Amino acid sequence: MGAGTEPDGSSRSDEEWERFLRESVAGTADAPKEPSARAREVARRLRTEPDKGPDGWRSHPPERPKRRVGWYVVGLLAVLALLFVALAPGRVVDLVTGSDSSRPDAHRPTAQDPFRGSPAATWASGAAGITMPKEAKAVGWMSAAEVERALARSRDFLVASSLDRGVLRGERPEKAIALINPHQKDVQHLLKTAFRTPGEKNDPLLLFSRFQPSRAHLVGDVVKTRGALTYREGERGALQVTADVTFVYPVARPGGDEILRTIVRRELVLSWDDPDKVITEPGTFSIVSYKYDMTNGGCGTPTGYFVPPFGPDRHADESGREVDPYDRDTPFGRGGSAGDECGRATRS
């Protein structure tokens, strides 16, 4: 009998039967395989989710990060703004305040702001602009305390001779004169003649600042100053004090609205002498030398007063050499005489 019989009654050979049993155990290559649990779960989710088209969720490319172009632009504008402020600070002030520096009168002084447009606008006022030595030390015949008092009185002379309101109105500078050694003959001769008959050699402007009230008056209550006092030992053990100070006077003529600034730089060398060696009086000094430079104070024959060149007179004064009255490094061009060439201020 054969190993097996087909449904139609035919029998199988032993080889066929043996192959049948082997394939039943191992399975054939083309037999369908049972899907895994993960595959069945994915297939179930795809059947339940709506169709999203051909592009799956992974088909979109990742979005590129945006370049921060805006920050670069802001930084560049900030740098340009700082550069503009550094190069044109006046223009920035005009933009903020609403003024226009391109106008001819943008920096013109006014009664409310007589130092408008001037370098002196940032200077100190009056005696505050005259710097004193930080520490007084004994010199020659004077102790440190005596040197300190002498320095203070030297500044008092500058105040009484160039800042006193009465003196600026043309009054006789009595307080200042009282500090000068009455036994110094050459200076006493100058003081006796200068106020009566002023001339090139005997001009009160050599030591004092004065304006003739009928021609000019001070605008406001402030005179701007910048300068310093220094000291060292002089001849015969004296204390020698040197004053180098610039005074800026805003002035106008009576009834006029034009304002000029008369600028005067003075250098005075004062000697506080030992009374055992020089004839002097206590609390007084001798004048060793005096020099001054002046712009916008008038030219021509000395009158004993500064004469600001208002109106048409200004063109006549502007015919001289150019001078920067705020340049304190330039040597003095006028010493002991007011008859030198009149300077034309490059700025006031």
Side-chain angles (χ1 to χ4, degrees):
M1 184 175 178
T5 306
E6 291 295 329
D8 58 355
S10 61
S11 60
R12 294 186 180 183
S13 64
D14 292 340
E15 292 78 13
E16 290 176 344
W17 183 251
E18 185 178 356
R19 186 174 65 254
F20 170 78
L21 293 176
R22 187 171 57 252
E23 291 177 354
S24 298
V25 175
T28 61
D30 56 352
K33 295 182 180 180
E34 179 69 14
S36 65
R38 179 175 178 79
R40 291 195 301 269
E41 176 63 23
V42 173
R44 184 187 62 79
R45 188 168 64 248
L46 291 175
R47 287 194 301 269
T48 57
E49 290 182 356
D51 186 12
K52 296 183 178 180
D55 295 331
W57 64 279
R58 291 184 183 272
S59 62
H60 294 284
E63 187 177 7
R64 294 183 180 178
K66 296 180 178 179
R67 295 184 180 179
R68 298 182 177 181
V69 179
W71 289 110
Y72 295 127
V73 174
V74 172
L76 179 59
L77 292 177
V79 172
L80 293 176
L82 292 175
L83 183 62
F84 179 73
V85 171
L87 296 178
R91 184 58 178 165
V92 174
V93 174
D94 293 337
L95 292 174
V96 174
T97 59
S99 60
D100 185 3
S101 60
S102 62
R103 299 197 315 268
D105 61 345
H107 300 297
R108 184 175 299 172
T110 65
Q112 294 73 29
D113 188 4
F115 296 98
R116 182 183 183 188
S118 170
T122 58
W123 288 13
S125 302
I130 305 174
T131 304
M132 301 283 283
K134 294 182 178 180
E135 182 181 2
K137 297 181 180 180
V139 172
W141 70 280
M142 283 189 169
S143 66
E146 290 172 328
V147 169
E148 187 173 4
R149 284 195 296 271
L151 288 170
R153 289 184 178 179
S154 298
R155 184 172 63 177
D156 291 342
F157 177 80
L158 295 173
V159 172
S161 62
S162 298
L163 293 173
D164 182 272
R165 298 293 299 224
V167 174
L168 293 177
R169 290 193 299 265
E171 298 177 7
R172 186 176 176 85
E174 298 292 353
K175 293 181 180 180
I177 292 175
L179 293 170
I180 301 175
N181 181 4
H183 302 287
Q184 189 177 6
K185 294 182 179 180
D186 56 342
V187 175
Q188 291 301 320
H189 173 74
L190 182 153
L191 296 175
K192 289 179 181 178
T193 59
F195 297 100
R196 294 196 307 264
T197 56
E200 291 186 2
K201 294 183 178 180
N202 296 315
D203 190 344
L205 297 182
L206 295 172
L207 294 172
F208 313 103
S209 294
R210 311 169 73 228
F211 295 91
Q212 193 171 13
S214 61
R215 292 189 174 186
H217 63 86
L218 196 67
V219 177
D221 299 323
V222 175
V223 174
K224 293 290 187 175
T225 58
R226 175 165 289 185
L229 296 182
T230 57
Y231 69 95
R232 66 179 183 88
E233 184 174 347
E235 295 182 1
R236 295 181 290 275
L239 171 68
Q240 183 170 298
V241 178
T242 299
D244 182 357
V245 183
T246 300
F247 303 86
V248 184
Y249 305 98
V251 291
R253 55 185 171 185
D257 56 2
E258 181 184 4
I259 298 175
L260 297 180
R261 287 181 287 260
T262 299
I263 306 165
V264 183
R265 180 184 175 189
R266 295 189 179 278
E267 183 190 77
L268 292 171
V269 180
L270 313 176
S271 180
W272 293 86
D273 299 310
D274 183 350
D276 293 336
K277 300 178 180 179
V278 177
I279 300 176
T280 185
E281 294 294 328
T284 66
F285 55 78
S286 299
I287 298 179
V288 177
S289 64
Y290 44 82
K291 301 176 183 179
Y292 81 98
D293 275 335
M294 174 268 297
T295 55
N296 285 343
C299 296
T301 304
T303 64
Y305 302 97
F306 292 129
V307 185
F310 297 106
D313 296 336
R314 191 168 188 177
H315 298 290
D317 266 20
E318 290 180 348
S319 60
R321 60 187 173 87
E322 288 189 348
V323 176
D324 182 0
Y326 294 99
D327 180 9
R328 293 178 46 80
D329 295 327
T330 301
F332 280 87
R334 178 174 297 167
S337 173
D340 291 352
E341 181 185 4
C342 195
R344 176 165 56 92
T346 58
R347 52 180 180 161
S348 67

